Amino acid sequence: MIGIDLGTTNSLVAILRDGQPVTLKNELGEDLIPSVVAAAEDGTLLVGRAAKDRLVTAPDSGQACFKRDMGTDTTYEFGGRKWSPVECSALVLRELKRIAEAQLQAPVDAAVITVPAYFHDLQRQATVDAAAIAGLKVLRLLNEPTAAALAYGYRANDELNTLLVFDLGGGTFDVTLLESFEGVVEVKASSGESRLGGEDYTDALARWIEREFKWSPPAGDARRWRERVELLKRELTRQASTTITLHGKEAPITRDDLLTATADITARLRPVVRRAMRDAGLTPKQIDAVLLVGGASRMPVVYEDLKDLLGMEPSRTLDPDRVVALGAAVQQALVAGDSAVKDLVLTDVCPHTLGIETTKELVRGHRENGFFAPIIERNTMVPCSRSECFSTLTPEQDELAVQVYQGESRLVKDNRNIGKLLIQGLRARPGQKHPGQVDVRFSYDMNGILEVEVTIKETGKKVTKVFEQRPGILSAEQIAAALRKLQPLKTNPADLPENRARIERANRLYADLSGEMRRSLEGFLEAFEAALITQEREQIAAAAQDLDTFMAPFFRDNDG
């Protein structure tokens, strides 16, 4: 079993060795394997460094950056056939598997593979499919920022740390807020873009140079030209200025030029950071450390912008290029039950909002369908279970198609359809208390299992469907076990005996009080009832404690 960072630009494989995560190197002593595939002149498939070098001399002989197209119908043509992003990724994974087997002197057939936190389900499933082609069973898909936090948390002390993981790789961008304390890594919120990274900075700098110096690469030399600009960009990470030869002359390029050329791209970073912080309910002053992940995060233009936004120096204690792979190795050890990580605990969040399609009456007598009704909001800690009540359009309606979606848009057409359930037997009859009403409950866990349970309120009949958002990862027995673990979460907090008793006690005290004390109790009680509606465990616990603290003096000297 191995840990894999399948990156846009480079990929790595890692394991936990003697209690420490380490990356594995190939025969050339390299652990950063370019995520590039190509065909040699004789038709031999090349992967990694050889493929990258081949593209410089023969740009049409292969493909790079295919991670960006995972989950799409994109195809590439080279080596006499068409290739999908999944097949290209499989070649890279097979090479990482080969490196691991050579280093470990043992067969490898399973892996933990990292993916961008903001990858949607088709992209995640494409990663699983690529692994299967490469001969690897995916034991866990781990979000890249969470992997970085694991690598950090594995080494961290016992102090409570609130961390912001800023993950800007070659092609994707993620921001994750989390807390690390005594071996517990708890994700608070994630946000990101799946098509934003260092490759965009290279393209923007190339376009700027072409405009500024009225230069265009010779026909058929676009790949070589882009490689020159990529090296130029990296030089500007190490030094304030450099030169490039154009029209036979040396042209000076500075960091300020890079700043100007990429201003539009850098401007896209800040909203993602702010959204993650807003979802986590945190301010910059509450963040203890900022972890840089991904090679593009080391660019001064990015580093300085993040420093200005948060008002603090990002940490450089861990290598941005390798920290995700090291975290994957830690997660691999967790899955394997390695004693070296037995005290490490990881919690995560649901990266995208889950809900159903509904209809709204925007004007009296006129209904519009296609609206998204969230049930589990993004960045809800998992495992979790949430329910909402919905009604049919008319009492005569006997069937209801519950369409399940994932996304953040108000309209379902802009979100991703996961599937549907058909509910029958809803038509209203004389004497019914709940004509046409159904409770829709979503239960979601860390493995990406979504159980949708629809209950007809009048009859109690339940219709349940399980959506494996990453099919093939878990066996039928593992899915059944995961659903059993979700079962205790399905009770609505408002129906729990302790919460019902708390409300009854508060109502009893309300009748005894008057004036300001009554108004104060009403405020605490309403805050508690509002927390119950959210079904958020932390909010409920906090509101319950406030209510109990207020009521305690009044019941201390009697039978309660």
Side-chain angles (χ1 to χ4, degrees), residues 16 41 64 74 127 137 152 154 167 304 306 352 397 426 512 515 519 541:
L16 203 70
E41 289 186 9
T74 304
T127 305
K137 178 177 175 59
Y152 179 90
Y154 183 67
D167 184 356
E304 294 297 330
L306 182 61
H352 300 277
Q397 185 174 335
L426 294 166
D512 292 338
R519 285 189 289 274

Side-chain angles (χ1 to χ4, degrees), residues 381-515:
M381 186 183 294
V382 293
C384 61
S385 184
R386 300 287 185 271
S387 68
E388 296 285 345
C389 182
F390 298 91
S391 298
T392 55
L393 294 174
T394 67
E396 292 76 28
Q397 185 174 335
D398 195 52
E399 290 187 352
L400 177 66
V402 179
Q403 296 280 359
V404 182
Y405 284 86
Q406 173 195 65
E408 309 303 331
S409 297
R410 178 170 170 262
L411 302 177
V412 296
K413 68 181 181 64
D414 299 319
N415 293 329
R416 185 170 302 280
N417 183 261
I418 294 176
K420 72 175 182 179
L421 290 80
L422 183 63
I423 315 302
Q424 297 176 312
L426 294 166
R427 186 176 293 116
R429 294 172 181 79
Q432 281 194 356
K433 295 180 180 179
H434 309 287
Q437 289 189 352
V438 295
D439 273 326
V440 180
R441 175 172 291 281
F442 280 19
S443 302
Y444 187 84
D445 82 341
M446 285 184 69
N447 295 302
I449 293 175
L450 172 64
E451 182 189 50
V452 179
E453 181 182 89
V454 181
T455 304
I456 302 174
K457 294 193 70 172
E458 182 65 28
T459 63
K461 177 186 174 183
K462 296 181 186 292
V463 177
T464 303
K465 188 169 183 178
V466 175
F467 298 93
E468 265 191 278
Q469 299 195 31
R470 297 185 284 283
I473 294 182
L474 301 178
S475 65
E477 293 77 12
Q478 289 173 315
I479 293 172
L483 294 177
R484 285 195 296 271
K485 289 180 180 179
L486 286 171
Q487 194 64 36
L489 299 176
K490 293 183 181 181
T491 302
N492 193 308
D495 295 331
L496 292 174
E498 63 267 29
N499 291 331
R500 297 184 65 155
R502 184 175 284 112
I503 292 174
E504 290 303 321
R505 171 178 283 201
N507 286 334
R508 171 184 164 188
L509 181 59
Y510 181 88
D512 292 338
L513 299 179
S514 63

Side-chain angles (χ1 to χ4, degrees), residues 1 331-338:
M1 194 191 306
Q331 178 65 57
Q332 169 262 315
L334 275 171
V335 173
D338 194 312

Side-chain angles (χ1 to χ4, degrees), residues 184-198:
V184 176
V185 178
E186 180 178 321
V187 177
K188 293 294 186 182
S190 289
S191 183
E193 284 195 37
S194 58
R195 295 189 70 87
L196 174 61

Side-chain angles (χ1 to χ4, degrees), residues 214-450:
K214 297 179 175 55
W215 160 268
S216 59
D221 203 26
R223 176 78 66 173
R224 192 188 300 271
W225 164 240
R226 195 180 184 284
E227 190 72 17
R228 288 173 63 192
V229 176
E230 173 68 24
L231 292 174
L232 184 75
K233 183 188 73 174
R234 295 186 182 188
E235 287 177 10
L236 291 174
T237 295
R238 298 188 297 268
Q239 55 200 48
S241 64
T242 186
T243 59
I244 188 169
T245 302
L246 301 172
H247 306 298
K249 298 179 180 179
E250 293 289 316
I253 307 290
T254 68
R255 283 180 179 171
D256 287 340
D257 294 331
L258 178 61
L259 180 67
T260 300
T262 60
D264 291 346
I265 299 172
T266 303
R268 292 165 60 188
L269 303 175
R270 289 195 170 206
V272 178
V273 176
R274 292 194 182 104
R275 184 164 65 242
M277 293 177 62
R278 185 169 59 248
D279 285 355
L282 295 171
T283 65
K285 291 182 178 179
Q286 294 173 294
I287 297 172
D288 298 311
V290 178
L291 307 184
L292 297 180
V293 178
S297 70
R298 69 176 80 228
M299 292 190 298
V301 61
V302 173
Y303 181 91
E304 294 297 330
D305 187 73
L306 182 61
K307 176 182 173 182
D308 179 66
L309 174 62
L310 300 177
M312 64 187 302
E313 291 273 355
S315 170
R316 295 176 175 177
T317 56
L318 294 175
D319 186 339
D321 286 321
R322 293 169 174 81
V323 62
V324 169
L326 297 177
V330 174
Q331 178 65 57
Q332 169 262 315
L334 275 171
V335 173
D338 194 312
S339 60
V341 294
K342 61 182 176 62
D343 296 326
L344 193 61
V345 177
L346 170 67
T347 72
D348 213 333
V349 294
C350 179
H352 300 277
T353 299
L354 298 166
I356 67 171
E357 180 182 4
T358 59
T359 298
K360 291 187 177 182
E361 189 173 41
L362 301 177
V363 179
R364 187 176 179 84
H366 178 76
R367 297 187 177 100
E368 290 280 350
N369 58 12
F371 289 93
F372 184 53
I375 294 180
I376 294 180
E377 297 279 0
R378 71 169 187 260
N379 290 319
T380 298
M381 186 183 294
V382 293
C384 61
S385 184
R386 300 287 185 271
S387 68
E388 296 285 345
C389 182
F390 298 91
S391 298
T392 55
L393 294 174
T394 67
E396 292 76 28
Q397 185 174 335
D398 195 52
E399 290 187 352
L400 177 66
V402 179
Q403 296 280 359
V404 182
Y405 284 86
Q406 173 195 65
E408 309 303 331
S409 297
R410 178 170 170 262
L411 302 177
V412 296
K413 68 181 181 64
D414 299 319
N415 293 329
R416 185 170 302 280
N417 183 261
I418 294 176
K420 72 175 182 179
L421 290 80
L422 183 63
I423 315 302
Q424 297 176 312
L426 294 166
R427 186 176 293 116
R429 294 172 181 79
Q432 281 194 356
K433 295 180 180 179
H434 309 287
Q437 289 189 352
V438 295
D439 273 326
V440 180
R441 175 172 291 281
F442 280 19
S443 302
Y444 187 84
D445 82 341
M446 285 184 69
N447 295 302
I449 293 175
L450 172 64

